[in-house]
Amino acid sequence: MQRIGILTGGGDCPGLNAVIRAAARTLIRDYDIDVVGIQLGFEGLLTKSCVALTLESIRGILPKGGTLLRTTNRGNPFEFPVGDGRCEDRSSTLIDNIHELGIDGVIAIGGDGTLKIAQRLCDMGIPMVAVPKTIDNDLAATDYTFGFHTAVAVATEAVDRLHTTAASHDRVMILEVMGRNAGWIALYAGIAGGADIILIPEIPYQPENIVKMVQGREREGANFDIIVVAEGAKRVGGQEAYLDKATRRLGGIAYQVAADIAEQIDLEIRVTVLGHVQRGGSPIAFDRILASRFGKAAADLVAQKKFGEMVAVRGDDIVSVPIRDAVSRPKYVDPDGNLVATARSLGISFGDGR
Ligand code: F6P
């Protein structure tokens, strides 16, 4: 191995730069391997947009949010958009370019889509190692993905801030957080922030149970309520709320919840949709450390020629698992698990009447 490429694909996530830095440092310092950064995910391999990553060029990136290599969720080389809604398979051009650029292997840092592309390229003979990334924490192969705890910290701070304004105005505050079809961010931030009601995709809600909870708290003298709702939550027998149905972009369920309960409660309701602030900005220390461990482990896998593998954390150990297994197993909140049970014991309602 002489030269390794690193790319980031899919949505960004706090900690990407920490992975790039750790992987590049380990490759350069421990294995004397040259490193190039590929711009804009796999697209950079089609346009041959690469930059040398040296110890100097990666200096200072550890605490920075985003990704210095930029990213996209539209650069799938197997279905590359060529205009008018048409797509082309450009994978053979990509493979030719990898050889022309003298790249002997690629570390792909990304979510589900990126991992699937990495697996297909690996099957076509390109040496690939993967690092999982998502604030949603919805991959079963790893206990945590980096970025998740930063997103939870941002969402928890939002819950704290909503508490004081809710109590001052006697209001019901509904906070919508990200997470796609997994309720991890809502559940963690809801427990950490002391929410009264948490609504997650894994436990469909009934509006009457939210109303009961609000009225019950009112009888006990509580003049406000905090509801944290995951963007993928839905009513019993209902549908997810989409900002854009065609691309399945989730969003807007908080307004649905507000409409569901407005008639039956006396308090005013206000909605906050937290959005991409959960993904931006500096990673917290936990994510910087996890990202650094993942980056180092990915470099070690390259040096050991263990391709087709993805790094993961299990307990306190960094391990590797076949990319193929990782992409096929999502991880959702267990409605009967300890976290949900803890929340229920704390008096938090999931809108399911239990
Ligand atoms: O997967 C990460 C995530 O932030 C989800 O929580 C959210 O649904 C989605 O990406 C938003 O995607 P985009 O950045 O394309 O709007």
Side-chain angles (χ1 to χ4, degrees):
M1 294 279 132
Q2 306 265 299
R3 177 178 293 151
I4 292 297
I6 300 180
L7 63 82
T8 50
D12 73 338
C13 171
L16 284 170
N17 284 324
V19 179
I20 296 167
R21 172 182 177 268
R25 277 193 170 214
T26 308
L27 289 167
I28 297 166
R29 292 164 58 91
D30 292 358
Y31 301 114
D32 201 18
I33 293 175
D34 284 349
V35 188
V36 292
I38 300 157
Q39 307 267 10
L40 275 181
F42 289 102
E43 202 174 313
L45 287 172
L46 293 173
T47 54
K48 297 199 209 166
S49 308
C50 297
V51 286
L53 294 181
T54 63
L55 294 178
E56 291 72 37
S57 71
I58 57 173
R59 192 167 289 146
I61 65 170
L62 172 64
K64 292 200 173 137
T67 161
L68 111 145
L69 298 175
R70 298 162 60 228
T71 187
T72 175
N73 32 27
R74 283 187 293 274
N76 182 349
F78 295 98
E79 285 165 40
F80 197 78
V82 289
D84 298 334
R86 287 178 310 115
C87 290
E88 252 176 40
D89 183 350
R90 296 254 173 104
S91 55
S92 59
T93 309
L94 182 141
I95 290 172
D96 289 347
N97 289 350
I98 288 181
H99 296 313
E100 271 175 42
L101 290 161
I103 293 175
D104 302 312
V106 176
I107 296 177
I109 312 165
D112 211 36
T114 305
L115 298 181
K116 283 183 181 140
I117 296 167
Q119 178 60 53
R120 284 183 78 176
L121 291 173
C122 211
D123 292 343
M124 294 167 83
I126 300 297
M128 303 282 311
V129 163
V131 179
K133 160 253 56 156
T134 169
I135 60 164
D136 305 334
N137 201 39
D138 58 353
L139 278 184
T142 183
D143 288 355
Y144 293 109
T145 45
F146 64 88
F148 167 64
H149 282 93
T150 302
V152 168
V154 173
T156 302
E157 193 193 338
V159 176
D160 289 348
R161 288 178 182 275
L162 288 174
H163 256 112
T164 60
T165 175
S168 304
H169 281 272
D170 295 0
R171 281 174 171 167
V172 176
M173 291 292 187
I174 307 179
L175 174 70
E176 178 175 315
V177 298
M178 285 184 162
R180 283 194 207 271
N181 298 105
W184 295 109
I185 298 176
L187 182 57
Y188 269 62
I191 294 174
D196 306 300
I197 299 166
I198 301 173
L199 305 175
I200 56 175
E202 296 85 345
I203 306 178
Y205 71 88
Q206 281 169 311
E208 55 267 35
N209 295 321
I210 302 174
V211 172
K212 254 189 234 159
M213 178 74 178
V214 171
Q215 291 171 342
R217 277 176 48 82
E218 227 174 333
R219 279 195 298 278
E220 287 165 12
N223 65 336
F224 70 92
D225 304 273
I226 304 289
I227 303 177
V228 178
V229 56
E231 62 180 0
K234 50 185 182 296
R235 290 167 65 149
V236 172
Q239 297 286 318
E240 289 96 352
Y242 289 105
L243 288 174
D244 178 6
K245 247 192 167 157
T247 57
R248 299 182 67 82
R249 265 183 73 212
L250 289 164
I253 187 66
Y255 293 99
Q256 177 67 57
V257 173
D260 282 344
I261 62 172
E263 297 273 285
Q264 294 131 85
I265 61 171
D266 301 327
L267 300 177
E268 278 189 326
I269 304 171
R270 292 291 185 269
V271 166
T272 304
V273 179
L274 202 51
H276 289 78
V277 290
Q278 292 159 98
R279 286 225 315 245
S282 190
I284 62 168
F286 179 93
D287 283 332
R288 292 183 200 187
I289 293 164
L290 183 59
S292 298
R293 294 181 79 191
F294 276 1
K296 182 245 186 307
D300 289 342
L301 286 175
V302 166
Q304 293 155 14
K305 297 196 166 55
K306 284 176 107 179
F307 298 111
E309 293 281 300
M310 181 192 91
V311 300
V313 60
R314 295 261 172 78
D316 198 36
D317 294 327
I318 300 294
V319 298
S320 78
V321 294
I323 301 173
R324 192 183 307 282
D325 295 351
V327 291
S328 53
R329 288 191 302 128
K331 177 176 67 185
Y332 298 113
V333 172
D334 176 2
D336 301 315
N338 177 265
L339 266 174
V340 171
T342 301
R344 290 194 197 276
S345 295
L346 294 170
I348 295 171
S349 164
F350 286 87
D352 60 345
R354 281 180 57 194

